[in-house]
């Protein structure tokens, strides 16, 4: 495993900034609905967007509407559901088609969660996830159920930190980054992506392929990132320093 240094403060010069949300900008919580955006984070994203002339986007496994609700009325682009939704500040939205099988999948997941204390179902427009952070022993049966549901419906099985998801196939955070980089406001700039999870690796790869870099958040592990920050707290501190660097 290669040692990765923290990113330099001036890394965002002439860059387009892409940010994962959970585990990158906010600490992971047992329940997705327990997360909140505080005044520091909201102000930081606004300052970054101003300093980068709007070249800031969030790429999340959460739905677009979930990110919007946390930030109020954000002025930045959002890719949600692991690249299956993209919403632009001008109101344009691109979204995959919702599969008919999703209603049955959600029902089966709720049956499992009812019978398994601590497991939570997260319903999304194009998928559904089982969260077992509060019930680590449920990892094996939750994964087995999701694997079967995905196979039966011909959908994609998405793993992550203490969760497993069944969702529409055909996109990931890497494809989201590549699509968003085609926008006139972003094209020609270096993409910098920050993320903490295995689901963020496709975006790390895409950023590097387009002349930019990935920044891993959290403990060292195998990654396509070029830099690392140890925690959410370190991430916010670095982003604030990078914002100051852009202003100098």
């Amino acid at each position: 495993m290669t040692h990765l240094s923290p990113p330099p403060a001036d890394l965002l010069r002439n860059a387009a900034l892409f940010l994962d949300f959970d585990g990158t900008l906010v600490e992971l919580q047992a329940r997705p609905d327990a997360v909140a955006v505080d005044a520091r984070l909201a102000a930081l994203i606004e300052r970054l967007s101003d300093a980068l002339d709007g070249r800031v986007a969030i790429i999340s496994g959460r739905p677009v509407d979930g990110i919007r609700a946390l930030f109020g009325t954000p002025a930045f682009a959002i890719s949600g559901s692991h690249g299956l939704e993209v919403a632009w500040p001008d109101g344009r939205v691109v979204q995959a088609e919702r599969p008919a099988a999703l209603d049955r999948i959600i029902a089966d997941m709720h049956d499992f969660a009812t019978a398994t204390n601590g497991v939570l179902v997260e319903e999304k427009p194009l998928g559904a996830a089982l969260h077992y952070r509060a019930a680590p022993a449920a990892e094996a049966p939750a994964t087995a159920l999701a694997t079967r549901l995905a196979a039966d419906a011909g959908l994609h099985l998405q793993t992550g930190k203490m969760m497993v998801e069944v969702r529409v196939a055909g996109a990931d955070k890497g494809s989201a980054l590549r699509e968003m980089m085609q926008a006139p406001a972003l094209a020609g700039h270096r993409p910098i992506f920050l993320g903490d999870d295995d689901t963020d690796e496709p975006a790390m790869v895409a950023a590097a392929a387009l002349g930019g870099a990935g920044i891993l958040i959290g403990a060292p592990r195998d990654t396509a990132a070029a830099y690392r920050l140890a925690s959410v707290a370190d991430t916010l501190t670095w982003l604030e320093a990078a914002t100051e660097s852009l202003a100098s």
Side-chain angles (χ1 to χ4, degrees):
M1 189 176 297
T2 304
H3 171 75
L4 298 177
S5 301
D10 63 355
L11 185 65
L12 298 185
R13 290 192 181 278
N14 196 37
L17 178 62
F18 298 89
L19 301 158
D20 172 48
F21 183 71
D22 295 277
T24 297
L25 296 178
V26 296
E27 299 288 355
L28 294 170
Q29 302 292 336
R31 298 177 57 93
D33 58 4
V35 169
V37 172
D38 61 17
R40 177 192 182 188
L41 177 55
L44 172 58
I45 299 300
E46 184 175 351
R47 292 199 306 273
L48 275 167
S49 185
D50 288 343
L52 288 167
D53 295 325
R55 300 189 305 273
V56 174
I58 286 181
I59 301 181
S60 176
R62 288 179 182 258
V64 163
D65 285 347
I67 296 295
R68 279 176 168 163
L70 286 164
F71 281 92
T73 307
F76 50 81
I78 304 167
S79 175
S81 300
H82 301 283
L84 293 167
E85 307 174 89
V86 177
W88 297 96
D90 63 6
R92 289 178 296 129
V93 177
V94 180
Q95 180 174 310
E97 184 177 352
R98 188 181 192 276
L102 193 54
D103 290 338
R104 174 179 56 79
I105 289 168
I106 290 172
D108 287 351
M109 285 186 171
H110 276 295
D111 288 345
F112 175 79
T114 299
T116 312
N117 188 42
V119 173
L120 173 71
V121 178
E122 181 185 9
E123 298 183 23
K124 303 183 180 184
L126 301 166
L130 288 168
H131 292 264
Y132 48 84
R133 184 170 299 276
E139 177 178 3
T143 301
L145 172 62
T147 300
R148 176 178 62 80
L149 293 173
D152 289 348
L155 297 177
H156 179 69
L157 181 71
Q158 177 75 66
T159 57
K161 287 185 176 178
M162 306 299 286
M163 60 80 69
V164 62
E165 181 176 345
V166 178
R167 64 173 178 85
V168 174
D172 58 29
K173 292 185 178 182
S175 65
L177 187 148
R178 290 191 296 272
E179 178 183 347
M180 297 174 92
M181 279 297 296
Q182 295 178 28
L186 303 182
H189 298 276
R190 295 178 302 106
I192 304 298
F193 177 83
L194 281 68
D196 70 305
D197 201 350
D198 287 347
T199 61
D200 297 313
E201 286 301 315
M204 305 280 195
V205 172
L210 293 171
I215 302 173
L216 174 65
I217 312 304
R221 60 169 172 81
D222 290 335
T223 179
Y227 305 98
R228 186 178 73 86
L229 294 162
S231 65
V232 170
D234 286 349
T235 299
L236 299 180
T237 299
W238 179 78
L239 287 171
E240 288 170 339
T243 305
E244 293 299 318
S245 178
L246 289 168
S248 63

